[in-house]
Amino acid sequence: MNSDIMSPITENYDENSIQVLEGLEAVRKRPGMYIGSTGESGLHHLVYEIVDNSIDEALAGFCDRILVEILDDDIIRVTDNGRGIPVGIHPQKGIPTVSVVFTILHAGGKFGGNGYKVSGGLHGVGASVVNALSDWLEVEICDGEHKYFQRYEKGNVVTELKITGDTEKTGTRVTFKPDASIFTDTTRFDFDILLKRLREQAFLNAGIRIVLKDERSDAEIPEREEDLHYEGGIKSYVEFLLEKSKKERLNSEVIYFNGSSGDSNAEIALLWSTGYDTKIMSFANTIHTVDGGTHESAFKTSLARVINKYARTFKFLKESDSNLKSEDINEGLVAVVSVKLTDAQFESQTKAKLGNTAIGTLVNNIVAEKMMNYLEDHPAEAKIILDKSIASSNAREAAQRARELQRNKSGIGGKTRMPEKLTDCISDDPTKTEIFIVEGDSAGGSAVEGRNSTYQAILPLWGKMLNVEKARVDKVFSNEKLTPVIVSLGTGIAENFDIEKLRYDKVVIMADADVDGSHIRTLLLTFFFRYMPQLIETGHIYLAQPPLYRISKGKRYYDAFTDEDRDRYIAELGENCDVQRYKGLGEMNPEQLWETTLDPEHRTILKVSMSDAELADRIFSDLMGEDVEPRRKFIEENAVFATDLDI
């Protein structure tokens, strides 16, 4: 061996350096491997793991009621009326089976087929992981004869399994308190986050009743309770998703198919709405596969094949026409694809993507046969679907032409020609630069003179901004107000978005502190949310906060951002001070604009976040969409909270 690559030994590396983690130590050492993170999502994942075990009992036909309670000190209690976890001595381990379930990884009734044929808890680690990451956990079991109890602390057994009474009931109750030394960000459970997941489970298991109660004395809504029970199953789920989208239905009723192959089953519910967005929710053994998988891919592919075959058979498409693409057919589609199968193959413990190929074949066959039958039996509905898809195709092709037109405006050598109104910065380091999107030429002029030209770019906008919530993508590409934004940022939009091409680290919306400024901010945020959501998700979008007043006396002055600040500064400076009300950014001279809004040392800017994309989606649809009713309802319900009106 070449001695040149060797180095002197500074620390011992021998058999004592190799650590073996016993029992549940591995979970406590690397919790992210088992629950994704130790933040808010991981905290709530603990509840899902316990509830999933109860759902497995429901899938097996032995449970129809689940109660989830949030108790004081954010303790969780989950109770079901299933058969109860077995309490007999395990033949291999020689300890009560319930102890095996809660203290040993990869132990459960989900491997050999005798316990559960269909299960979301594939890996057999759910209960033990929750136990490992809890300060303490208690399990109570009723087996139809006796009540049993056992307690654990930080994953370890602290009381032997004992009989506490007699009963004719069956079921399992698990109570646990998450370990604050693991979940250092928060141990506070969010009722709405749990509600969303539990509602999914109720939809996916028609007839099951899941009750969620908030019994915390400091709950935001005292004694809040949700009773989740849907006889319609995933058909009801599609109706619910449509209602949330605030769009009108195009089909008269939800389209529903199901089918089986061996122990595997698939059911699909779908309809089309008047909206432009696509909402496809896929599940495997009631687990939401957020990254899709073979079942979701098969659904999309087969649906596109059937729609195109029908369109050609019944002359909606000419021989010279290109096939409709999935994105055309899926515009406005609301669908739920739920499969249940043995030996589900997920890509990770968090079960984000399904990999079983056989279930894809089943879904493909169901859609191919039953969707075609539906279209042939419902020609009026078929025409509605085809008209919607063809209109989407036409818009997509128009958008493509607009993109090509934009590319043709590039300079020599393929280098994109920047918008005329963009005053760029000197630096081309995208990690250190920032662009201010400014309302109006006047403010833009002051900003250009007042900025630090090394790293600050200025792009003034003028005139009425396009409300993208009411426009198709082709209108967005061709809009003269938005095109400069798209070109300046360099990332492209929609399916062509590439964050690696972002030219600025901070994209700052700088508008006046009045109603018109708020409108411009909202329109720009709507655009970013719909067509560049990655910019929000990765923390690149900011809102400038220009002051409302300047209060001065002699050489002393203060900039006030609220009326309260104004009054405090007036009191501090005393009588006869001068109070200037900034009516707009354009009224500030370059020095004032730098001092108050541009200077990183003194300015206030707000980072735009998107912690709940679905909530943001609903708000933008309500307030910016074509449907007037949700907007009217919002105004009626919230007008009482309006205190500062600029009329």
Side-chain angles (χ1 to χ4, degrees), residues 539-557:
H540 289 287
I541 303 295
Y542 294 81
L543 300 178
Q545 298 294 290
L548 293 173
Y549 306 95
R550 170 157 288 194
I551 299 92
S552 59
K553 187 174 182 179
K555 294 184 178 181
R556 296 179 64 192
Y557 69 87

Side-chain angles (χ1 to χ4, degrees), residues 175-192:
T175 309
F176 67 93
K177 177 177 172 55
D179 190 340
S181 69
I182 300 290
F183 299 95
T184 54
D185 290 345
T186 182
T187 55
R188 180 76 175 178
F189 285 99
D190 187 311
F191 187 95
D192 289 313

Side-chain angles (χ1 to χ4, degrees), residues 467 469-470 620-638:
N467 179 3
E469 193 66 27
K470 299 180 181 180
F620 278 124
S621 293
D622 283 356
L623 302 186
M624 306 300 292
E626 294 180 339
D627 193 352
V628 175
E629 181 59 26
R631 191 156 48 248
R632 182 187 66 79
K633 183 179 179 182
F634 178 89
I635 293 171
E636 290 177 348
E637 292 177 350
N638 293 277

Side-chain angles (χ1 to χ4, degrees), residues 366-625:
I366 292 171
V367 175
E369 176 189 352
K370 298 190 176 183
M371 187 67 194
M372 181 59 77
N373 290 341
Y374 174 85
L375 295 173
E376 291 176 348
D377 293 342
H378 300 80
E381 300 275 295
K383 184 178 186 304
I384 292 171
I385 295 168
L386 265 298
D387 287 346
K388 170 82 169 175
S389 301
I390 291 170
S392 174
S393 176
N394 292 338
R396 175 179 53 78
E397 291 176 356
Q400 181 63 35
R401 289 193 294 271
R403 281 193 290 267
E404 294 298 332
L405 180 62
Q406 189 61 54
R407 291 193 186 102
N408 291 337
K409 293 179 180 179
S410 298
I412 298 173
K415 185 176 181 180
T416 302
R417 182 186 304 150
M418 289 295 110
E420 292 182 6
K421 286 187 172 287
L422 172 68
T423 302
D424 215 342
C425 52
I426 297 170
S427 173
D428 58 2
D429 183 349
T431 66
K432 298 178 180 178
T433 56
E434 49 192 39
I435 183 171
F436 288 82
I437 302 175
V438 186
E439 174 192 358
D441 286 340
S442 177
S446 292
V448 167
E449 293 185 42
R451 69 176 178 145
N452 185 323
S453 61
T454 300
Y455 61 90
Q456 291 179 327
I458 308 296
L459 176 65
L461 300 181
W462 70 102
K464 186 177 180 181
M465 180 76 61
L466 177 70
N467 179 3
V468 300
E469 193 66 27
K470 299 180 181 180
R472 285 184 181 272
V473 67
D474 56 311
K475 299 295 184 183
V476 176
F477 274 109
S478 60
N479 183 259
E480 62 180 5
K481 307 299 185 298
L482 291 175
T483 298
V485 176
I486 298 170
V487 175
S488 297
L489 298 186
T491 59
I493 66 172
E495 70 275 6
N496 295 315
F497 181 89
D498 183 358
I499 200 165
E500 296 298 323
K501 296 180 179 179
L502 180 62
R503 301 180 64 243
Y504 307 96
D505 180 62
K506 291 183 176 66
V507 180
V508 187
I509 301 172
M510 191 164 76
D512 291 341
D514 57 15
V515 170
D516 288 340
S518 295
H519 191 213
I520 295 240
R521 280 192 295 273
T522 303
L523 289 169
L524 274 171
L525 285 175
T526 305
F527 165 65
F528 287 131
F529 178 78
R530 288 295 178 214
Y531 290 95
M532 298 179 172
Q534 299 92 331
L535 291 181
I536 301 176
E537 293 166 354
T538 52
H540 289 287
I541 303 295
Y542 294 81
L543 300 178
Q545 298 294 290
L548 293 173
Y549 306 95
R550 170 157 288 194
I551 299 92
S552 59
K553 187 174 182 179
K555 294 184 178 181
R556 296 179 64 192
Y557 69 87
Y558 293 103
D559 289 312
F561 293 85
T562 66
D563 290 347
E564 290 76 11
D565 288 343
R566 176 200 60 192
D567 296 341
R568 187 171 73 255
Y569 295 143
I570 290 174
E572 182 177 331
L573 293 176
E575 297 180 356
N576 301 319
C577 61
D578 181 54
V579 180
Q580 177 187 357
R581 172 69 157 92
Y582 291 120
K583 293 184 179 179
L585 294 167
E587 293 190 1
M588 292 188 187
N589 61 44
E591 292 76 17
Q592 288 176 325
L593 200 55
W594 167 255
E595 293 172 359
T596 63
T597 316
L598 295 171
D599 183 3
E601 296 295 323
H602 300 99
R603 72 190 182 191
T604 299
I605 60 175
L606 303 179
K607 180 184 287 189
V608 179
S609 63
M610 188 163 53
S611 58
D612 187 341
E614 289 195 355
L615 176 61
D617 178 83
R618 190 159 65 252
I619 290 173
F620 278 124
S621 293
D622 283 356
L623 302 186
M624 306 300 292

